[in-house]
């Protein structure tokens, strides 16, 4: 077991890894001077990181030492949400929480307690371990953690058993790369150099995205799709392959089930019909299909943009079926990449000590309703950690209404004063990944690494493991208070020995079972019951109210005709590091939509629908599909004029599969706010000037 590195007053370098919610899981080299972080760089320990990292984490020291860092436990001293707190000891804070939880459990029932967490740290040790055991022992409500990757995960699991995907490094072998619903320039940047190298070697690039992202600008073909119509576009490609004799029937007969049903569902989707719903010219769809048919190796990078709508699960099913129908597996640089988190075959349930109880499940995408409508029992205690739901979860106004409830006891365990932390009754300071141990697993790059503390803990911050173990002891769940090292060992002991030794040692990088660069259908196979691809999974059909490969119409109305998307930006990782974003938000809008409304760049606009409204400036351009507008994902309330962000306009309806979030089903209207209506507010400071608004 590793021990904490010795502290010196000189300069030292610590090899560690990034466990934040990003596909790449970089290897890091952290320079420490006089006990403080002096620089954070990428290291070359993992080939995908190759010595560079994103600008976001290079600045992570600004979070560690920033004015908004939480350093001490505190309890609310003002009104709910006004952000005024009084410092208390850890003993008082934990005792207050323990007594309140026990009282709620005894008087209302365990289900009145709702733990709420997501990927603020995506490490294997800081979530799903002592925290999950603690809430399971309390008999709390269970949380469906479906904010992201639920529909794509459901599709990939049912079709392929989450078979490992094409490695970033193998993109250089592709002759055609399709980037579908992903923007690696903002999230997962280490794929970009491989795409560039493939292009330099002669590969063609196709990008399917409503926005003209920086990769779309480079692309041989940019398919500017209307949000929510990916399933129609993918089915039109299937139809072309099936109906023109281009489907690889030999491969399908040998390795797949459900091809006939898929063909049947694709039959009505001519390029003309798909073009009508997607807004893409039928000739362009034909060109994409023909390029895909004719080029091998061809790889599809399937992102998470295509799942964030009512058709998201079916879109993932249709896109992931393309390599099977077109016969693109079996060669290096051919196939698909989705999430690779399952490639290591780690059973996270293996390191739990307390099994989940059979209590009710609350979908995290409906937090607002859970806090304002759920009954029998109502939520009386909300415990938020690794998450900032005010900024990240749909239906922001309903969430704010719920958090303002005087009878709700809210604990927020956080690194900095987030929009959600403002509503805490008890605030607990959390360590960052530079101050504690963890294990980081990439879900794009094949990296599994030890996260080591590089510096001493700031203030009185504590790790998740420490806090939940201490609470468990105070509530009499356990006699022993499990320390960080014991929790690490518990997780590590469930990892195969050769992989564990490599992770915990400082030597060679561990390899997943299929190797670092697996070729699909050569080195790795579908992990379904019979080893075949299931193109029409019955289990999902039962789950999908309208059946598989169905298309649900656009929810736009005359009143709210514009589709609002909220893609990842270069400023934040989901909402993490939002406190460091100084530039205000700007809505990106197509020139024709702006002209129709008398709107120009730098005007202040009201973006609204029945759920809420956002006031911000606007940037007008042609880098987005007409009829679609864009606000960055992960904004904090301070980034707009009226303190509302894109999630205030996002409905809490669930995706067709997996119970995912339908952010991109937000339909809005945009009007200009005349200067007189802004009163004394300083409009000039709201003129956006950062790169993330130049790329919508
Ligand atoms: S956020 Fe992603 S790109 Fe940035 S350091 Fe972490 S893993 Fe690497």
């Amino acid at each position: 077991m590793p021990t904490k590195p010795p502290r010196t007053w000189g300069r030292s370098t610590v090899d560690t890894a990034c466990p934040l919610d990003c596909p790449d899981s970089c290897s890091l080299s952290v320079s420490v001077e006089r006990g403080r972080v002096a620089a954070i760089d990428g290291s070359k320990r993992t080939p995908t990181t190759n010595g560079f990292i994103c600008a976001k984490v290079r600045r992570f020291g600004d979070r560690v030492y920033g004015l908004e860092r939480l350093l001490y436990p505190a309890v609310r001293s003002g009104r709910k949400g006004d952000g005024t707190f009084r410092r208390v000891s850890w003993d008082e804070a934990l005792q207050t929480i323990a007594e309140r939880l026990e009282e709620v459990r005894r008087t209302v029932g365990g289900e009145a307690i709702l733990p709420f967490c997501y990927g603020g740290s995506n490490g294997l040790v800081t979530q799903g371990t002592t925290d999950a055991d603690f809430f399971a022992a309390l008999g709390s409500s269970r949380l469906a953690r479906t904010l992201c990757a639920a529909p794509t995960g459901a599709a990939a699991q049912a079709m392929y058993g989450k078979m490992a995907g094409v490695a970033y490094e193998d993109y250089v072998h592709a002759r055609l790369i399709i980037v579908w619903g992903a923007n690696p320039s903002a999230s997962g940047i280490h794929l970009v150099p491989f795409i560039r190298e493939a292009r330099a070697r002669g590969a063609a690039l196709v990008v399917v995205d409503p926005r003209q992202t920086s990769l779309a600008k480079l692309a041989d073909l940019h398919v500017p799709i209307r949000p929510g119509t990916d399933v129609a576009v993918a089915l039109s490609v299937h139809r072309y392959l099936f109906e023109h004799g281009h489907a690889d029937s030999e491969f399908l007969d040998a390795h797949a089930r459900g091809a006939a049903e898929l063909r049947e569902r694709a039959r009505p989707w001519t390029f003309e019909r798909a073009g009508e719903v997607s807004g893409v010219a039928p000739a362009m769809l034909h060109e994409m299909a023909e390029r895909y048919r004719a080029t091998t190796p061809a790889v599809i990078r399937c992102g998470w943009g295509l799942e964030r709508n009512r058709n998201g699960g079916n879109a993932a099913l249709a896109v992931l079926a393309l390599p099977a129908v077109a016969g693109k597996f079996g060669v290096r640089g051919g196939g698909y990449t989705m999430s690779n988190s399952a490639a290591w075959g780690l059973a996270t349930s293996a390191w739990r000590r307390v099994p989940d109880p059979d209590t009710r499940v609350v979908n995290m995408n409906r937090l607002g309703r859970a806090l304002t409508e759920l009954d029998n029992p109502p939520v009386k205690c909300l415990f938020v950690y690794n998450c900032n739901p005010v900024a990240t979860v749909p239906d922001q106004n309903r969430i704010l209404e719920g958090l303002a409830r005087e009878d709700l006891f809210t604990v927020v365990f956080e690194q900095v004063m987030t929009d959600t932390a403002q509503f805490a009754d008890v605030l607990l300071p959390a360590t960052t990944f530079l101050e504690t141990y963890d294990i980081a697993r990439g879900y794009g790059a094949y990296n599994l690494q030890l996260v080591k503390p590089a510096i001493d803990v700031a203030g009185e911050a504590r790790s998740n493991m420490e806090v939940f173990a201490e609470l468990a002891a105070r509530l009499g769940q356990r006699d022993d208070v499990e320390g960080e090292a014991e929790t690490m060992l518990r997780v590590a002991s469930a990892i195969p020995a050769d992989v564990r030794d490599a992770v915990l040692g400082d030597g060679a990088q561990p390899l997943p079972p299929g190797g670092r660069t697996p070729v699909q259908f050569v080195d790795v196979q579908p992990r379904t019951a019979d080893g075949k691809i299931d193109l029409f999974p019955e289990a999902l059909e039962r789950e999908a109210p309208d059946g598989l490969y169905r298309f649900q119409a656009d929810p736009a109305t005359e009143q709210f005709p514009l589709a609002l998307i909220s893609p990842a930006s270069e400023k934040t990782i989901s909402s993490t590091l939002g406190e460091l974003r100084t530039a205000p938000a700007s809505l990106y809008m197509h020139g024709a939509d702006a002209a129709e409304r008398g709107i120009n760049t730098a005007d202040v606009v009201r973006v609204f629908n029945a759920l809420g409204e956002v006031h911000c400036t606007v940037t007008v351009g042609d880098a987005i599909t007409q009829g679609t507008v864009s606000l960055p994902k992960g904004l904090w309330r301070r980034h707009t004029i009226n303190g509302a962000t894109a999630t205030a306009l996002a409905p809490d309806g669930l995706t067709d599969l997996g119970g995912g979030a339908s952010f991109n089903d937000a339909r809005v209207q945009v009007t200009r706010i005349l200067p007189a209506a802004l009163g004394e507010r300083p409009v000039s400071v709201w003129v956006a000037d950062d790169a993330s608004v130049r790329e919508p």
Side-chain angles (χ1 to χ4, degrees):
M1 192 61 208
T3 54
K4 290 203 177 191
R7 298 279 164 252
T8 69
W9 287 105
R11 194 174 177 110
S12 61
T13 302
V14 178
D15 286 331
T16 182
C18 175
L20 300 178
D21 189 358
C22 167
D24 292 3
S25 189
C26 291
S27 53
L28 302 179
S29 175
V30 179
S31 299
V32 180
E33 211 169 294
R34 293 174 175 269
R36 287 173 65 91
V37 173
I40 305 174
D41 288 301
S43 80
K44 297 209 168 191
R45 276 183 305 116
T46 54
T48 45
T49 306
N50 195 25
F52 76 96
I53 57 168
C54 63
K56 308 173 204 183
V57 168
R58 289 176 70 85
R59 292 188 66 194
F60 201 87
D62 293 346
R63 161 166 279 212
V64 175
Y65 305 117
L67 289 176
E68 296 180 71
R69 181 76 196 271
L70 300 177
L71 298 172
Y72 309 103
V75 296
R76 176 165 67 92
S77 58
R79 287 185 19 206
K80 282 257 186 185
D82 74 5
T84 51
F85 295 93
R86 172 175 61 82
R87 180 179 170 180
V88 296
S89 66
W90 268 104
D91 182 58
E92 182 180 338
L94 292 175
Q95 197 54 31
T96 303
I97 295 167
E99 285 172 8
R100 194 62 177 262
L101 290 176
E102 179 53 26
E103 183 198 328
V104 167
R105 192 191 63 76
R106 193 169 31 79
T107 58
V108 193
E111 288 183 330
I113 299 165
L114 179 64
F116 202 91
C117 66
Y118 201 65
S121 166
N122 232 8
L124 298 181
V125 186
T126 57
Q127 57 175 342
T129 55
T130 42
D131 55 328
D133 289 340
F134 172 69
F135 290 113
L138 265 179
S140 72
S141 287
R142 290 175 290 159
L143 186 72
R145 299 175 76 228
T146 51
L147 191 63
C148 184
T152 46
Q157 176 64 39
M159 293 175 74
Y160 293 97
K162 294 194 173 172
M163 175 174 66
V166 177
Y168 289 2
E169 297 96 309
D170 275 346
Y171 275 62
V172 301
H173 300 292
R175 303 291 299 161
L176 174 68
I177 297 169
I178 300 181
V179 177
W180 198 317
N183 183 13
S185 309
S187 178
I189 58 172
H190 292 84
L191 181 58
V192 176
F194 297 107
I195 292 177
R196 286 183 184 275
E197 188 181 336
R199 299 243 325 128
R201 294 186 188 190
L205 175 64
V206 174
V207 173
V208 185
D209 201 302
R211 304 161 301 148
Q212 195 182 42
T213 60
S214 50
L215 269 188
K217 288 190 182 97
L218 278 184
D220 300 275
L221 190 67
H222 171 213
V223 182
I225 193 171
R226 199 174 280 152
T229 63
D230 307 75
V231 62
V233 167
L235 286 175
S236 75
V237 180
H238 281 297
R239 181 185 189 279
Y240 179 73
L241 295 169
F242 278 121
E243 303 303 324
H244 292 83
H246 302 313
D248 188 340
S249 47
E250 201 178 314
F251 177 85
L252 291 173
D253 289 346
H255 297 288
R257 279 178 280 117
E261 289 90 339
L262 169 56
R263 179 177 186 162
E264 195 52 38
R265 290 290 156 88
R267 202 185 299 279
W269 288 100
T270 60
F271 291 134
E272 287 70 26
R273 185 175 171 205
E276 209 173 294
V277 301
S278 67
V280 181
M284 184 180 274
L285 297 178
H286 177 268
E287 184 184 346
M288 179 170 81
E290 178 52 22
R291 276 180 184 267
Y292 189 57
R293 177 201 70 78
T295 315
T296 297
V299 61
I300 298 175
R301 190 340 162 204
C302 180
W304 293 269
L306 58 82
E307 73 168 19
R308 294 155 65 98
N309 64 81
R310 67 213 172 274
N311 294 312
N314 279 302
L317 283 174
V319 172
L320 293 180
L322 285 170
V325 175
K328 299 299 179 187
F329 289 121
V331 290
R332 193 165 291 285
Y336 72 86
T337 310
M338 188 59 253
S339 172
N340 282 331
S341 61
W344 296 89
L346 303 179
T348 52
S349 57
W351 48 73
R352 289 284 302 280
R353 295 203 286 194
V354 184
D356 275 333
D358 189 23
T359 50
R360 74 179 171 193
V361 176
V362 175
N363 188 306
M364 71 186 307
N365 297 313
R366 292 193 158 153
L367 175 63
R369 279 182 210 277
L371 296 181
T372 56
E373 294 178 6
L374 209 55
D375 215 338
N376 197 26
V379 176
K380 288 291 197 181
C381 176
L382 177 71
F383 198 125
V384 181
Y385 60 106
N386 286 5
C387 195
N388 179 11
V390 170
T392 57
V393 174
D395 206 356
Q396 185 178 60
N397 287 324
R398 215 186 297 256
I399 292 171
L400 292 172
E401 184 190 332
L403 289 174
R405 269 176 45 201
E406 277 301 331
D407 67 328
L408 177 72
F409 178 70
T410 302
V411 180
V412 180
F413 184 19
E414 248 301 352
Q415 297 169 358
V416 295
M417 182 60 86
T418 63
D419 290 336
T420 307
Q422 302 267 353
F423 284 85
D425 291 290
V426 179
L427 200 49
L428 302 178
T431 48
T432 68
F433 73 89
L434 295 173
E435 298 156 318
T436 191
Y437 282 110
D438 207 337
I439 294 174
R441 175 182 59 178
Y443 55 92
Y446 287 110
N447 295 332
L448 188 71
Q449 302 171 84
L450 182 65
V451 179
K452 281 189 265 186
I455 52 171
D456 285 333
V457 166
E460 294 182 4
R462 290 188 185 178
S463 69
N464 287 10
M465 294 84 85
E466 284 176 277
V467 168
F468 288 109
E470 171 73 24
L471 282 171
R474 283 181 188 245
L475 284 176
Q477 292 178 1
R478 302 191 64 83
D479 295 332
D480 56 321
V481 178
E482 189 182 61
E484 249 179 65
E486 286 86 1
T487 311
M488 276 290 293
L489 276 175
R490 177 149 62 98
V491 172
S493 64
I495 298 175
D498 55 333
V499 173
R500 178 178 63 233
D501 292 348
V503 170
L504 299 183
D506 282 329
Q509 288 300 304
L511 294 178
R516 177 165 287 284
T517 55
V519 176
Q520 293 176 312
F521 282 86
V522 174
D523 303 309
V524 289
Q525 307 292 334
R527 294 186 299 199
T528 49
D530 60 359
K532 288 190 169 187
I533 307 168
D534 195 346
L535 295 171
F536 205 86
E538 271 179 29
L540 290 187
E541 199 186 17
R542 282 194 295 277
E543 191 186 315
D546 298 311
L548 298 188
Y549 298 108
R550 295 287 189 195
F551 177 74
Q552 296 182 55
D554 194 299
T557 61
E558 208 174 308
Q559 200 182 3
F560 303 118
L562 300 169
L564 171 69
I565 58 173
S566 45
S569 84
E570 293 160 1
K571 299 288 178 191
T572 60
I573 305 152
S574 190
S575 71
T576 299
L577 300 178
E579 80 278 15
L580 304 182
R581 180 188 169 118
T582 51
S586 185
L587 181 82
Y588 196 93
M589 188 174 208
H590 190 275
D593 293 324
E596 206 178 288
R597 292 163 176 80
I599 290 170
N600 295 299
T601 289
D603 280 350
V604 175
V605 291
R606 175 175 176 246
V607 191
F608 65 100
N609 62 18
L611 295 172
E613 59 186 74
V614 176
H615 300 173
C616 60
T617 58
V618 66
T619 303
V620 177
D622 59 2
I624 196 161
T625 307
Q626 191 178 341
T628 301
V629 292
S630 174
L631 269 171
K633 176 183 177 182
L635 292 173
W636 287 22
R637 299 180 71 196
R638 67 185 67 174
H639 296 128
T640 65
I641 295 170
N642 68 333
T645 67
T647 56
L649 305 167
D652 67 355
L654 303 179
T655 54
D656 48 354
L657 297 173
S662 297
F663 294 104
N664 293 351
D665 280 346
R667 295 294 178 268
V668 300
Q669 183 55 280
V670 182
T671 56
R672 188 166 160 238
I673 300 179
L674 296 172
L678 288 164
E680 297 300 309
R681 279 178 285 182
V683 178
S684 58
V685 305
W686 291 101
V687 177
D689 62 353
D690 69 312
S692 65
V693 300
R694 287 196 290 277
E695 181 178 284

